[in-house]
């Protein structure tokens, strides 16, 4: 069983300083929601409120429609994997996973439950190993097994993978998502890693300055950001100002209803053309080969900043050189604008 989670108009101050303002969040039962945002934007504080470690000044936290304000953390049926919620190194793997079952006096056949959980996180047979002998990735799996052992209604994760190197982190992302899907536990996760947020989440919530800036599916947030902050925050972006007459240099578009706004163009929306091809003229100023893709910076006459272009790598010998003149075309299937931030 898992529950839907809702935060309604929640504000929180600590020591007279406002940390969270009017936070609203709806997490459907069984879904995976990621809180994303710059450092200090209030992500961990929001998780701490959900966990019951902090009490809001105003607003409500509801689990399955029930206000949990009178429930202490231990009674909220949570699984928690926080960065600093460490595994006990002097205990064995099995003792670590069994810990919440004993502490919460859950069930009696702990042995089976522990074995099942370790099987789930692909650490079957590790019961007797001392936690201090495990690798970083294995420790995170033990932390996850421990968090899931008591069959929580809600799983809270605060940067659970951030200590791992890139390859292990990516492998663990898939595993974590597969486990979450298998057991269907409502999950609220905090990350700094945009790729992690975009790839794992049913819903992405971007926080900024203690407020929810926007919530939506990863695709919505990426393709239709509501603000300049969001457009810049999620991935790379080119923002082209729309002039008073609706023109949008260097593109050949007229957007008279978007005067004064910014046209959002992602780097992969441009196509590199031959110098006699369609589009506008540009000069390549920087080329980064990134494996499957190329990241280019190009300068454009009468445009102040370099534009960023991402293009698929077309095979050996195809990488263009800095200094090369090209043309850039753009697919106008839809145009999306944001207002400039003040
Ligand atoms: N106990 C506290 N006392 C005072 N200020 C706090 C406390 N906890 C958090 N803050 C402040 O609240 C703001 C939000 O902190 P929070 O830890 O939620 O940010 P975050 O989004 O998780 O950032 P990061 O990505 O760096 O982990 C920060 O300005 C932080 O300094
Ligand atoms: Mg944090």
């Amino acid at each position: 069983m898992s529950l839907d989670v809702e935060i309604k108009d929640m504000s929180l101050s600590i020591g007279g300083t406002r940390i969270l303002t009017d936070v609203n969040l709806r997490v459907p039962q069984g879904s995976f929601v990621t809180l994303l945002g710059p450092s200090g934007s209030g992500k961990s504080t929001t998780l701490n409120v959900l966990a019951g470690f902090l009490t809001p000044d105003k607003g409500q936290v509801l689990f399955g429609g029930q206000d949990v304000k009178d429930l202490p953390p231990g009674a909220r049926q949570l699984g928690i994997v926080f960065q600093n919620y460490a595994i006990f190194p002097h205990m064995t793997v099995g003792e670590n996973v069994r810990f919440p079952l004993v502490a919460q006096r859950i069930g009696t056949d702990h042995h089976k439950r522990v074995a099942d959980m370790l099987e789930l996180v692909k650490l079957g047979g590790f019961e007797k190993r001392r936690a201090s002998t495990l690798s970083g990735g294995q420790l995170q799996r033990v932390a996850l097994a421990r968090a899931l052992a008591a069959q929580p209604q809600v799983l809270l994760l605060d940067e659970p993978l951030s200590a791992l190197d890139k390859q292990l982190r990516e492998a663990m992302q898939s595993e974590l998502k597969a486990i979450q899907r298998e057991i269907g536990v409502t999950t609220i996760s905090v990350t700094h890693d945009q790729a992690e947020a975009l790839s794992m989440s049913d819903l992405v919530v971007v926080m900024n300055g203690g407020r929810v800036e926007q919530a939506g599916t990863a695709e919505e947030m990426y393709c239709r950001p509501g603000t300049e902050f969001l457009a810049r925050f999620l991935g790379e972006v080119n923002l082209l100002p729309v002039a008073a007459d609706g023109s949008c240099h260097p593109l050949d578009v007229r957007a008279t209803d978007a005067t004064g706004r910014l046209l959002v163009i992602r780097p992969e929306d441009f196509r590199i053309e031959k110098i006699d091809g369609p589009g506008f003229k540009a000069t390549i100023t920087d080329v980064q080969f990134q494996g499957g893709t190329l990241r280019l910076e190009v300068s454009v006459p009468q445009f102040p900043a370099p534009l960023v272009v991402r293009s698929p790598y077309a095979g050996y010998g195809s990488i263009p050189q800095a200094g090369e003149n090209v043309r850039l075309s753009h697919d106008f299937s839809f145009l999306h604008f944001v207002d400039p931030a003040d």
Side-chain angles (χ1 to χ4, degrees):
M1 244 260 294
S2 78
L3 296 175
D4 62 332
V5 171
E6 195 170 359
I7 298 180
K8 278 188 175 167
D9 298 323
M10 188 267 288
S11 297
L12 173 95
S13 300
I14 300 179
T17 307
R18 177 62 78 84
I19 310 281
L20 298 173
T21 306
D22 295 329
V23 172
N24 281 287
L25 187 62
R26 256 196 62 78
V27 182
Q29 178 183 1
S31 65
F32 193 114
V33 171
T34 299
L35 307 183
L36 191 64
S39 188
S41 57
K43 306 179 297 291
S44 296
T45 306
T46 303
L47 276 200
N48 280 304
V49 169
L50 289 171
F53 299 136
L54 291 170
T55 307
D57 312 334
K58 169 176 149 320
Q60 281 180 305
V61 175
L62 307 170
F63 284 11
Q66 298 290 317
D67 194 323
V68 293
K69 77 173 180 306
D70 297 324
L71 288 184
R76 293 191 181 193
Q77 294 183 276
L78 302 168
I80 298 180
V81 183
F82 285 0
Q83 225 180 342
N84 56 0
Y85 213 71
I87 289 300
F88 308 118
H90 58 285
M91 291 186 187
T92 64
V93 166
E95 286 163 353
N96 265 285
V97 177
R98 189 167 158 255
F99 186 81
L101 301 175
V102 176
Q104 296 175 42
R105 297 196 186 89
I106 296 170
T108 46
D109 189 5
H110 293 169
H111 185 76
K112 176 163 184 349
R113 184 81 193 142
V114 168
D116 286 350
M117 286 298 105
L118 288 175
E119 206 60 55
L120 183 71
V121 299
K122 299 200 182 131
L123 284 179
F126 274 65
E127 277 96 328
K128 297 268 183 314
R129 277 278 290 272
R130 214 151 264 289
S132 56
T133 67
L134 300 186
S135 73
Q138 290 169 332
L139 280 173
Q140 283 312 102
R141 287 166 211 247
V142 177
L144 187 60
R146 187 176 68 180
L148 295 173
Q151 293 181 298
Q153 307 269 20
V154 177
L155 182 63
L156 302 178
L157 309 170
D158 195 351
E159 313 223 19
L161 309 179
S162 64
L164 308 179
D165 67 42
K166 187 166 178 294
Q167 285 197 346
L168 186 54
R169 196 165 67 232
E170 287 171 359
M172 284 291 293
Q173 284 166 9
S174 314
E175 284 184 32
L176 177 57
K177 179 72 200 187
I179 291 169
Q180 190 269 342
R181 204 178 284 134
E182 185 179 333
I183 59 177
V185 63
T186 308
T187 302
I188 300 155
S189 174
V190 166
T191 181
H192 260 108
D193 183 334
Q194 296 195 9
E196 183 174 314
L198 294 178
S199 65
M200 292 179 76
S201 318
D202 298 311
L203 200 67
V204 177
V205 178
V206 175
M207 299 194 65
N208 183 24
R211 294 171 185 270
V212 172
E213 181 91 7
Q214 189 175 335
T217 64
E219 192 178 15
E220 274 162 20
M221 303 284 276
Y222 185 76
C223 296
R224 304 263 202 277
T227 62
E228 180 181 348
F229 169 84
L230 261 166
R232 290 186 185 281
F233 186 73
L234 282 183
E236 285 197 286
V237 73
N238 300 289
L239 296 174
L240 309 181
V242 183
D245 63 356
S247 65
C248 193
H249 179 70
L251 294 185
D252 185 20
V253 293
R254 207 150 276 274
T256 40
D257 51 352
T259 295
R261 306 188 79 197
L262 300 167
L263 175 59
V264 177
I265 309 236
R266 294 293 176 186
E268 63 276 15
D269 295 341
F270 285 125
R271 250 196 324 276
I272 300 171
E273 310 279 1
K274 294 262 164 20
I275 190 65
D276 54 358
F280 59 88
K281 270 193 206 145
T283 305
I284 297 173
T285 55
D286 186 55
V287 181
Q288 287 173 17
F289 176 50
Q290 298 179 328
T293 55
L294 302 172
R295 181 193 180 278
L296 309 176
E297 289 190 12
V298 305
S299 74
V300 174
Q302 278 106 51
F303 195 81
L307 296 179
V308 181
V309 178
R310 196 174 301 284
S311 156
Y313 169 55
Y316 188 72
S318 70
I319 300 178
Q321 299 293 311
E324 228 176 274
N325 292 316
V326 292
R327 280 180 176 267
L328 294 184
S329 65
H330 175 258
D331 176 10
F332 293 102
S333 55
F334 76 91
L335 297 177
H336 181 72
F337 301 92
V338 292
D339 289 324
D342 335 303

